[in-house]
Amino acid sequence: MIKNRLKLIITLLLLVSFGFSTKVDKTVIAYKSKNEITIDGILNEDIWKNKPVSNFIQKEPNEGEKATEKTNVWVAYDDSYIYVAAKLFDSKPNLIDKKLARKDASFNSDLFFVAIDSYDDNRTGFYFSINPGGSVGDGTLYNDSNIDDSWNGIWEAKTSINNKSWDLEIKIPLSQLRYNKSDKMIWGINFSRNIFRNNESDFYIMVPDSASGLVSHFADLTGLEEIQQKKRIEILPYVVGKTQYLDHEDNDPFYTDDQHQLKIGGNLKIGLGSNLTLDATFNPDFGQVEADPAVMNLSAFETFFREKRPFFIEGQNIFQFGMGGANNNWGFNFGVPELLYSRRIGRKPQGNIDVDYDYIDKPNATRILGAGKLTGKTKNNLSIGLLSAITERTFASIDNGNEIIKQEIEPLTHYGAFRSKKEYNNSRQSLGVMFTSVNRDLSDSLLSEQLANNAYTFGVDGWTFLDKEKVWVLTGNVIGSHISGTKDYMLNFQESPHRYFQRPDAKHFSLDSNLTSMSGWFSRIMLNKQKGNFYLNTAIGAVSPGFSNNDLGFQWMADKINNHLVLGYRWYKPGKIFRRKMIHFVYTEDYDFELNNLAKKFMTFNFFQFMNYYDMQIQAGYFLESYSKRLTRGGPLTTIPKTIFADISLQSDRRKKIVFDCGVEYGRQNQINSYGNEYKFEIEWKPSSRLNIEIEPKYSKNVESLQWIDKFEDELATETYGVRYVFGNMTQETISSQIRINWTFTPKLSLEFFAQPYISVGKYDNFKELAKPKSIETNKYDVDNINYENEEYIIDPDGDDPAESFTFEDPNFNYRSFKANMVLRWEVAPGSVLYLVWTNNKSDYQTDGKLDISKNTKDLWNSDPDNIFMMKFSYWLDVGNLL
């Protein structure tokens, strides 16, 4: 199979080795300002009388044609700021869309963007956007074509509207940018404009859809001479006040009426030259404003949630590993592992409680004593990232009925990460390294059974373009891991869901109760075609059984060999029905290190945009029969029957006041009569330029004929290695909705409300056990051999004396929750923000397994909530400007 794949790749390389350059030699002059520029959106300063740049080109809807409206742009600077001004002419000024939104909100309106490659590395940059109403956004550019909106710069902008145009002025402190200082600097720059009513996007440098990259095509920004560099020192002190009213029992000794907290801390940012930044923090506040969505996870693996804490978000793309060079990184069950999953730092304490108790006071997070970062890029194209954080030793207070005792549930821990990447030959090649470490002070014997003493990863990654025009790029990475701990911990480690070394039918590894350390490795190489209508992406990778990056990263898998091939074609020019089309065909397969086939899948992913700007996506797949290591959760392999799935969604024109997005998903395994359906509908209503309402209801039903329950040892179960692996039929129904209301009073004052009602119920019946390994055959338990007492099932496997009975708790569930979050945000001055936050959480759990919306809603409504009120104020001081 691999030989055939290589032959196909070589043939395609020979047949489709074309490419073209879209680099346009354009220059933008930055004019030196000797007088103060007032940021008011009125272009009355003399410096704006210089010659502007113009001649914008459409990217949408008619690629390559002249923009329908004229745009003039100027750039100026002084020793402290970069200024951008623009006059955006409009023949119908009464139709200019100037809706308001909070900073960085995703919304559609008339917009102006400026993007600056201040390192002039053709790979990275900063972008700033503003609309006619004064709503702003910003973020960073990386890997030439990727956008990250998590960065929050401190800058000013104003707009004005007249009978011919809407005008703007932007003022960006040089301290917010990163650049390599010299007497005469050349940066990269680009401008774009959205005309909302036309669905039109215009660019000064327009990169065709069939090309690749973004930053590498920017115009040269010249004229930046004799800038006197100032010290970059910023201080951001903060104060947080919090009041909590939590659900509790009346006799709970740990709950007091005085649930008030006051916290003071701050961040320090120091510029080391013009291109490196040192961030330090004292008593950091890592509270997040928005709650994670509710989920019902029935697998053996944790749920991945995005990072939302500002300290970790800023500069996070520097720590990304293994994905540079290529403009697409298809994974298909084998993505590059996250070596730095920052939500590990300050996480919920991991220690289990080993005593019976009546009441417990257990923190929901581990306090971070201090954290620091060094990030930036040197003049020789070497990027650097260094992160260090220490979390405190954390205890739970336990009332066991006789006394209150303390138990350690999280040790004193240091987390460290180092990232460096060097780019060569105008970024045609790159080589990078990354190292992470977790070191714990495990003085508690119970915690030493649950956590590793030390965990390390070390990786090397890079890319190289294979041709002059950068059509083909080869990317690769290799990672090594090492973890150490007590014998008890290493035994638990080997038995964890990523490994299952206890599997009785495994031949390429076995459980070792004497281990105190383990090493592993991961590697992947990928070929990607960057340009043109025809598309190809293929990769092969492997991860050893002992690989582990889960202490500071997020681990998806171990013991796997994967390869995939994606072939596609993309039509970018409008036709009679479709404005654009994209069709992709995929084949992928997985094996373990014993060469058991874990997956063989054929899939297609397709996108169509109609002439009326409605979007439709269609996905479908056919999975051949394969084996599963996970179904028995440490037991023998089982068969996964043939599977089919389909997914179709339709989205309306985003310009309208009412926008909808609907979709349906379907999957089925006919051999065992398992299936799943999901129906979702999202509606967005924009009743005014200040108010936006989104409601996203969703309903799903899954019928699983082999849903895991538990395993029970029985020497009579000789076909399954002396263990009975018990399953049941489960019918799960889930109803949920996400509701968002955004009310923007001014560009600097906004109110956001988020709510998520969630109900998930599961009903189990038809209990059975695995009949033999490497099969899907089961032995169903006779109803006469099943008894139900005190919310427990008692199973007699064969109804005779030889086989002992076993019991398990009623697996039926009925989980209900309601999460609500309201945030008032007021930017009182650039970089200085006041937050008022209210959070409401309710949850309820029962075991009836019945979906009764009226009863479920009533029970949830009557449950006691947790209410948290918080006020946070942070004040930004640019100390460097004061020195």
Side-chain angles (χ1 to χ4, degrees):
M1 178 61 69
I2 294 176
K3 287 184 178 180
N4 293 336
R5 178 71 49 78
L6 290 174
K7 289 179 181 178
L8 177 59
I9 292 169
I10 293 171
T11 302
L12 291 169
L13 281 169
L14 294 174
L15 291 174
V16 198
S17 58
F18 61 86
F20 51 88
S21 174
T22 58
K23 180 68 176 179
V24 178
D25 293 327
K26 284 189 176 182
T27 299
V28 177
I29 298 175
Y31 300 102
K32 183 70 176 282
S33 176
K34 297 181 180 180
N35 301 314
E36 181 180 357
I37 297 177
T38 302
I39 304 301
D40 55 10
I42 300 174
L43 309 186
N44 54 5
E45 285 83 4
D46 288 341
I47 201 163
W48 307 137
K49 295 178 182 178
N50 287 294
K51 183 179 180 180
V53 298
S54 190
N55 299 322
F56 279 55
I57 303 297
Q58 285 189 49
K59 187 178 180 71
E60 295 285 349
N62 301 308
E63 183 180 295
E65 294 188 8
K66 186 178 179 180
T68 60
E69 303 285 354
K70 185 179 179 181
T71 303
N72 289 339
V73 184
W74 299 263
V75 178
Y77 72 99
D78 56 27
D79 287 339
S80 299
Y81 302 96
I82 289 286
Y83 303 90
V84 178
K87 178 174 283 289
L88 300 99
F89 292 93
D90 201 307
S91 57
K92 298 178 180 179
N94 58 310
L95 297 181
I96 293 174
D97 190 287
K98 52 183 184 292
K99 66 171 61 74
L100 297 180
R102 61 180 173 80
K103 185 178 181 182
D104 289 332
S106 177
F107 69 104
N108 294 282
S109 77
D110 283 44
L111 279 170
F112 175 83
F113 291 83
V114 55
I116 301 174
D117 173 12
S118 52
Y119 280 124
D120 194 33
D121 60 5
N122 295 318
R123 304 286 303 174
T124 64
F126 301 86
Y127 75 84
F128 307 86
S129 68
I130 186 168
N131 83 335
S135 297
V136 299
D138 54 26
T140 58
L141 308 170
Y142 65 98
N143 195 32
D144 194 7
S145 57
N146 298 105
I147 296 175
D148 182 0
D149 65 358
S150 60
W151 177 73
N152 283 305
I154 299 171
W155 52 287
E156 298 179 60
K158 292 289 185 180
T159 63
S160 65
I161 302 176
N162 54 59
N163 59 2
K164 291 184 179 180
S165 64
W166 67 279
D167 303 341
L168 63 91
E169 290 178 306
I170 296 174
K171 179 182 179 181
I172 306 169
L174 285 168
S175 63
Q176 297 299 296
L177 304 177
R178 306 293 175 261
Y179 54 93
N180 295 309
K181 179 73 173 65
S182 64
D183 291 338
K184 292 185 177 181
M185 295 185 294
I186 296 179
W187 294 356
I189 196 165
N190 201 4
F191 313 104
S192 68
R193 172 188 182 180
N194 289 354
I195 304 175
F196 179 63
R197 66 180 181 274
N198 298 340
N199 236 336
E200 180 178 343
S201 60
D202 305 323
F203 285 78
Y204 182 60
I205 302 294
M206 193 278 294
V207 182
D209 283 326
S210 57
S212 175
L214 177 63
V215 182
S216 57
H217 302 273
F218 281 10
D220 289 336
L221 178 65
T222 63
L224 300 171
E225 300 177 1
E226 300 178 355
I227 293 179
Q228 300 301 314
Q229 183 176 337
K230 296 185 177 182
K231 292 182 179 180
R232 289 194 295 120
I233 304 175
E234 301 172 26
I235 299 176
L236 189 72
Y238 77 87
V239 58
V240 174
K242 181 187 291 187
T243 299
Q244 303 181 113
Y245 300 94
L246 307 179
D247 179 25
H248 65 283
E249 295 185 21
D250 293 338
N251 296 324
D252 187 345
F254 302 115
Y255 189 87
T256 64
D257 293 332
D258 185 19
Q259 292 285 314
H260 309 295
Q261 301 175 14
L262 182 66
K263 189 176 181 180
I264 299 174
N267 297 334
L268 172 66
K269 188 186 296 287
I270 301 176
L272 305 180
S274 59
N275 50 14
L276 295 176
T277 302
L278 176 65
D279 291 279
T281 184
F282 165 71
N283 197 23
D285 172 56
F286 289 142
Q288 57 192 60
V289 171
E290 184 175 309
D292 294 319
V295 295
M296 188 66 186
N297 186 348
L298 299 178
S299 74
F301 300 88
E302 67 177 315
T303 302
F304 182 90
F305 292 110
R306 289 186 59 192
E307 178 62 85
K308 299 176 182 178
R309 299 171 296 178
F311 177 86
F312 292 111
I313 286 176
E314 187 170 352
Q316 65 182 357
N317 59 59
I318 288 180
F319 292 94
Q320 289 184 341
F321 177 86
M323 296 187 294
N327 61 8
N328 209 315
N329 289 276
W330 297 84
F332 300 110
N333 300 324
F334 201 85
V336 177
E338 296 243 359
L339 295 187
L340 175 59
Y341 179 47
S342 55
R343 288 189 66 142
R344 299 287 185 227
I345 305 173
R347 69 191 299 176
K348 183 177 181 179
Q350 303 169 78
N352 297 324
I353 305 301
D354 65 339
V355 297
D356 294 331
Y357 60 87
D358 296 327
Y359 300 98
I360 187 170
D361 181 16
K362 185 177 181 181
N364 290 321
T366 305
R367 190 164 73 97
I368 300 173
L369 299 176
K373 285 190 306 183
L374 175 68
T375 56
K377 194 168 189 176
T378 66
K379 62 178 60 178
N380 59 354
N381 251 358
L382 176 68
S383 61
I384 297 173
L386 181 64
L387 171 68
S388 180
I390 299 176
T391 59
E392 73 173 352
R393 197 181 305 276
T394 306
F395 295 86
S397 298
I398 301 168
D399 181 355
N400 61 13
N402 298 315
E403 59 178 344
I404 294 178
I405 60 175
K406 296 278 189 178
Q407 180 173 318
E408 186 176 341
I409 52 176
E410 186 73 26
L412 181 70
T413 306
H414 175 262
Y415 298 90
F418 170 76
R419 173 65 163 143
S420 179
K421 183 172 63 177
K422 179 77 165 69
E423 296 173 24
Y424 305 89
N425 191 19
N426 194 26
S427 298
R428 289 183 177 276
Q429 291 86 33
S430 172
L431 185 65
V433 297
M434 186 163 181
F435 173 77
T436 69
S437 66
V438 178
N439 306 103
R440 298 183 175 96
D441 179 14
L442 289 172
S443 57
D444 184 272
S445 59
L446 180 63
L447 280 179
S448 68
E449 297 177 9
Q450 303 171 40
L451 301 172
N453 291 327
N454 303 291
Y456 304 98
T457 64
F458 178 79
V460 179
D461 67 338
W463 73 76
T464 180
F465 285 91
L466 302 178
D467 62 315
K468 181 180 179 181
E469 302 296 338
K470 293 187 176 182
V471 178
W472 299 91
V473 62
L474 192 68
T475 67
N477 60 81
V478 60
I479 309 168
S481 70
H482 181 79
I483 192 165
S484 62
T486 64
K487 291 182 179 180
D488 289 332
Y489 169 74
M490 292 307 302
L491 189 62
N492 292 330
F493 174 80
Q494 294 174 76
E495 293 177 338
S496 63
H498 293 297
R499 276 155 284 276
Y500 287 142
F501 280 16
Q502 70 272 34
R503 266 184 44 216
D505 58 343
K507 299 177 182 178
H508 57 301
F509 51 63
S510 60
L511 203 61
D512 187 344
S513 59
N514 292 314
L515 279 182
T516 57
S517 65
M518 182 173 289
S519 300
W521 58 271
F522 172 100
S523 185
R524 185 173 189 252
I525 187 168
M526 180 179 68
L527 176 69
N528 192 66
K529 183 176 181 292
Q530 305 279 89
K531 302 178 181 180
N533 297 84
F534 171 75
Y535 181 79
L536 180 145
N537 177 281
T538 187
I540 185 169
V543 53
S544 74
F547 178 76
S548 175
N549 68 304
N550 219 35
D551 284 77
L552 186 52
F554 193 96
Q555 185 163 1
W556 307 96
M557 65 211 158
D559 187 24
K560 182 184 285 189
I561 302 169
N562 167 276
N563 67 92
H564 77 252
L565 174 65
V566 183
L567 298 174
Y569 200 86
R570 305 169 181 183
W571 292 263
Y572 297 111
K573 293 184 177 180
K576 293 183 179 180
I577 300 176
F578 299 109
R579 186 169 295 278
R580 62 178 58 203
K581 298 175 287 186
M582 300 180 186
I583 297 176
H584 297 92
F585 297 97
V586 182
Y587 175 75
T588 181
E589 55 189 9
D590 296 340
Y591 297 89
D592 65 13
F593 275 49
E594 200 176 299
L595 297 183
N596 293 304
N597 174 232
L598 304 180
K600 282 188 178 181
K601 302 179 180 180
F602 295 91
M603 292 175 284
T604 179
F605 300 90
N606 311 292
F607 170 82
F608 305 91
Q609 185 177 74
F610 296 92
M611 295 301 293
N612 63 353
Y613 293 99
Y614 276 51
D615 295 336
M616 181 172 64
Q617 295 187 60
I618 300 175
Q619 303 178 24
Y622 177 68
F623 305 163
L624 300 178
E625 186 175 278
S626 58
Y627 292 118
S628 171
K629 299 187 302 179
R630 299 177 174 179
L631 195 60
T632 57
R633 305 199 181 188
L637 294 176
T638 57
T639 300
I640 303 177
K642 296 176 183 178
T643 305
I644 58 172
F645 88 90
D647 180 359
I648 183 170
S649 63
L650 181 69
Q651 183 184 83
S652 66
D653 187 345
R654 303 295 300 181
R655 295 173 297 174
K656 306 301 182 182
K657 279 197 170 184
I658 297 179
V659 181
F660 71 85
D661 185 353
C662 58
V664 59
E665 297 180 20
Y666 173 79
R668 188 172 187 88
Q669 294 173 321
N670 285 321
Q671 185 177 345
I672 57 174
N673 199 30
S674 291
Y675 63 90
N677 303 320
E678 181 175 276
Y679 308 91
K680 56 185 178 181
F681 183 83
E682 178 182 355
I683 186 166
E684 179 183 1
W685 179 35
K686 296 168 277 190
S688 74
S689 62
R690 300 175 183 270
L691 185 62
N692 183 277
I693 301 171
E694 295 180 42
I695 302 176
E696 186 181 355
K698 185 184 298 184
Y699 169 77
S700 65
K701 181 177 181 179
N702 296 305
V703 176
E704 297 285 350
S705 65
L706 285 174
Q707 179 62 42
W708 172 257
I709 292 180
D710 210 338
K711 60 184 179 181
F712 304 90
E713 294 185 1
D714 189 338
E715 61 183 12
L716 297 179
T718 55
E719 289 287 337
T720 52
Y721 303 96
V723 179
R724 300 187 184 276
Y725 299 94
V726 181
F727 303 88
N729 281 20
M730 181 196 69
T731 300
Q732 180 185 10
E733 293 181 273
T734 301
I735 297 177
S736 66
S737 181
Q738 292 193 15
I739 303 164
R740 293 183 184 273
I741 301 175
N742 295 309
W743 193 355
T744 308
F745 307 104
T746 73
K748 295 185 177 181
L749 179 63
S750 62
L751 180 67
E752 180 181 14
F753 176 74
F754 168 82
Q756 186 196 29
Y758 182 90
I759 300 173
S760 185
V761 302
K763 182 71 174 179
Y764 288 73
D765 57 19
N766 294 326
F767 300 113
K768 66 203 76 174
E769 66 181 46
L770 183 67
K772 60 181 181 180
K774 284 194 171 183
S775 76
I776 206 68
E777 296 180 26
T778 58
N779 296 323
K780 183 179 177 181
Y781 300 136
D782 193 295
V783 292
D784 294 333
N785 299 333
I786 302 174
N787 292 313
Y788 184 78
E789 297 177 4
N790 299 322
E791 297 187 349
E792 285 187 338
Y793 282 97
I794 305 170
I795 309 293
D796 185 351
D798 55 8
D800 299 325
D801 291 337
E804 294 185 0
S805 299
F806 56 85
T807 64
F808 55 83
E809 292 183 359
D810 188 347
N812 294 339
F813 60 86
N814 190 330
Y815 175 74
R816 293 79 65 103
S817 74
F818 179 80
K819 293 187 174 187
N821 193 242
M822 183 178 291
V823 181
L824 179 70
R825 180 187 185 276
W826 179 27
E827 186 176 352
V828 298
S832 303
V833 184
L834 172 68
Y835 289 100
L836 298 178
V837 183
W838 167 62
T839 300
N840 176 279
N841 288 325
K842 290 184 176 186
S843 63
D844 184 54
Y845 187 89
Q846 297 180 9
T847 59
D848 55 25
K850 297 178 181 179
L851 180 61
D852 184 331
I853 297 177
S854 176
K855 181 178 183 302
N856 290 159
T857 303
K858 182 179 179 180
D859 290 345
L860 179 60
W861 184 260
N862 291 331
S863 62
D864 294 325
D866 290 339
N867 279 298
I868 301 173
F869 300 90
M870 184 181 76
M871 182 279 294
K872 177 180 178 180
F873 179 66
S874 58
Y875 189 77
W876 179 70
L877 291 169
D878 187 355
V879 180
N881 255 348
L882 302 177
L883 298 178

